[in-house]
Amino acid sequence: MGNLLLKEVFAWAEQNLLIEKVSLGVFSTNQSAIVLYKNMGFVEERRKIKEFKLNDNQYIDDILMYKFV
């Protein structure tokens, strides 16, 4: 289902000449989404280390990814 949504986003972006790059952020713990995004051509651009606090002792990174249209 996620890949269908991404395909629609890219089809829309390709019709808009001002859009050259699609970016997203994903929790570092969301491995299934990361695999999907990589399979769709996204590349990791950078990480925000310990961006999200889950509880007193647990943080997760925010992975920023992109793909040129």
Side-chain angles (χ1 to χ4, degrees), residues 8-24:
E8 287 296 317
V9 167
F10 291 127
W12 173 81
E14 288 170 358
Q15 299 296 316
N16 292 275
L17 300 178
L18 294 176
I19 298 174
E20 297 178 350
K21 181 180 177 182
V22 176
S23 300
L24 59 83

Side-chain angles (χ1 to χ4, degrees), residues 19-56:
I19 298 174
E20 297 178 350
K21 181 180 177 182
V22 176
S23 300
L24 59 83
V26 60
F27 290 166
S28 59
T29 55
N30 192 345
Q31 290 301 312
S32 59
I34 293 168
V35 168
L36 170 66
Y37 299 145
K38 287 183 177 180
N39 287 340
M40 298 292 294
F42 282 86
V43 177
E44 183 174 329
E45 187 166 26
R46 68 183 181 111
R47 284 180 182 246
K48 293 182 174 181
I49 306 301
K50 295 185 177 181
E51 180 70 6
F52 301 103
K53 183 175 185 176
L54 301 181
N55 58 48
D56 286 342

Side-chain angles (χ1 to χ4, degrees), residues 55-68:
N55 58 48
D56 286 342
N57 299 315
Q58 186 180 12
Y59 296 83
I60 58 174
D61 298 348
D62 185 18
I63 299 175
L64 303 177
M65 303 181 83
Y66 74 94
K67 178 180 176 178
F68 286 105

